Amino acid sequence: MADFVQLVILGLLAGGIYVAVGVGFGMVWGVLNIVNLSHGALVIIGGYITWQLFSALHIDPFLTLPVDAMALFVFGYLLQRGLINRIIRAPLLLTFLLTFGVNLVIVNILLLIFGSDFRSVTPSYSGQGIELGPIVIPYVSLFSLAVAIALSAALAFILNRTRIGLAINAIAADRDAGQLVGIDLRHAYAVTFGLGAACAGVAGGLIAMIQAITPTAGEPYTLQAFVVVILGGLGRVSATVVGGLAFGLVEAFGQSIPGSGSVFANAIAFGLMVLVLVTRPQGLLGRLR
């Protein structure tokens, strides 16, 4: 029983990272109709910002997360306004090619700056946790889950309770009608992409505390974000939260099977995604579009 509870806890804690990675990806996909293949590279930028502030200035990594968010918001806003906005109505294949090209550029710039060495963020409380008998809850993973839930709640508040958030929801429903009532589409699109990039930056800061990072380490997170959004459903922040936690649980139980590894666990998670697509195309909590 204790082993089962430990697996559930580890799965939920891992799911917090997937929530942080997926929530911005899902918003950009739902509003801009762009599957952002550079999302993983944006995640790793956040990881390197956290690593730089921690190693150079000895700032607690959790305190660097607002810096990650602000820096990536500005970068994402400018990237969308200056480049991606030019193909916003283009066919899906063209947006794939452009965001994939952006991903390659970012990865190669990071390689030039930081090299290919592994970098990690190890605060004094790394490796420590709450011990409840045979059950251990790592501090870093627990705090990361709390940050991911808070990030999702903040994003939901922005989308549902602020002027720009309501504008984003309006253009997501009907961009032409939104433009007719006076919404600045270019600004709203850029803010949407900027918010998605900010979420990616926070996720990168969390990931840097859990595993070593390199400039190419972000690619799996793009795929995992895609799976998380499919599982939960496109169009709602709460759906992405459910999808991320479900992905973490499936991965944890998959890795517990004797003789299995992370590849086998991912195969189970992707198999679950296919099952969801076949039986419930809108996802567990998504809306039919």
Side-chain angles (χ1 to χ4, degrees):
M1 183 62 182
D3 291 340
F4 176 81
V5 173
Q6 182 71 70
L7 279 175
V8 170
I9 291 174
L10 292 177
L12 292 175
L13 295 178
I17 296 296
Y18 298 133
V19 169
V21 171
V23 69
F25 182 88
M27 185 182 66
V28 170
W29 185 3
V31 176
L32 275 63
N33 196 31
I34 290 177
V35 178
N36 180 20
L37 298 184
S38 67
H39 190 75
L42 299 177
V43 168
I44 295 304
I45 291 176
Y48 273 108
I49 293 174
T50 289
W51 173 81
Q52 190 68 46
L53 293 174
F54 175 77
S55 59
L57 302 177
H58 306 291
I59 300 175
D60 185 276
F62 282 101
L63 297 180
T64 68
L65 299 181
V67 179
D68 296 340
M70 289 186 289
L72 267 296
F73 176 85
V74 172
F75 179 73
Y77 185 97
L78 296 176
L79 178 63
Q80 201 286 332
R81 193 74 182 255
L83 183 62
I84 295 176
N85 192 61
R86 299 177 184 275
I87 51 93
I88 196 68
R89 292 178 183 261
L92 191 61
L93 179 60
L94 186 57
T95 64
F96 274 177
L97 292 174
L98 179 61
T99 56
F100 181 68
V102 170
N103 174 76
L104 292 178
V105 170
I106 293 174
V107 168
N108 281 280
I109 290 175
L110 291 175
L111 283 169
L112 287 173
I113 296 173
F114 298 104
S116 58
D117 296 337
F118 286 91
R119 318 279 175 141
S120 59
V121 177
T122 54
S124 59
Y125 43 84
S126 289
Q128 301 179 19
I130 302 172
E131 296 185 9
L132 303 174
I135 298 171
V136 179
I137 306 175
Y139 286 136
V140 171
S141 297
L142 180 61
F143 296 157
S144 297
L145 175 60
V147 169
I149 299 300
L151 178 68
S152 302
L155 186 61
F157 177 83
I158 291 172
L159 291 176
N160 297 313
R161 293 290 186 270
T162 66
R163 185 179 182 87
I164 186 61
L166 295 175
I168 290 171
N169 281 324
I171 63 173
D174 191 326
R175 69 178 70 182
D176 294 323
Q179 192 171 25
L180 287 175
V181 298
I183 296 174
D184 184 346
L185 290 184
R186 291 183 301 173
H187 176 65
Y189 284 152
V191 170
T192 300
F193 199 89
L195 289 173
C199 294
V202 173
L206 298 175
I207 290 169
M209 290 182 266
I210 293 174
Q211 67 179 56
I213 59 171
T214 65
T216 59
E219 295 176 2
Y221 289 103
T222 301
L223 180 59
Q224 288 164 353
F226 182 83
V227 175
V228 164
V229 172
I230 292 296
L231 285 177
L234 188 63
R236 299 170 66 183
V237 174
S238 58
T240 304
V241 173
V242 171
L245 296 178
F247 187 91
L249 285 170
V250 172
E251 186 179 62
F253 280 96
Q255 290 175 344
S256 70
I257 299 175
S260 67
S262 60
V263 175
F264 183 70
N266 284 336
I268 294 176
F270 296 146
L272 177 63
M273 180 194 73
V274 173
L275 180 63
V276 169
L277 282 174
V278 171
T279 60
R280 189 175 173 80
Q282 72 269 33
L284 299 175
L285 293 180
R287 300 166 179 163
L288 287 172
R289 294 169 65 85

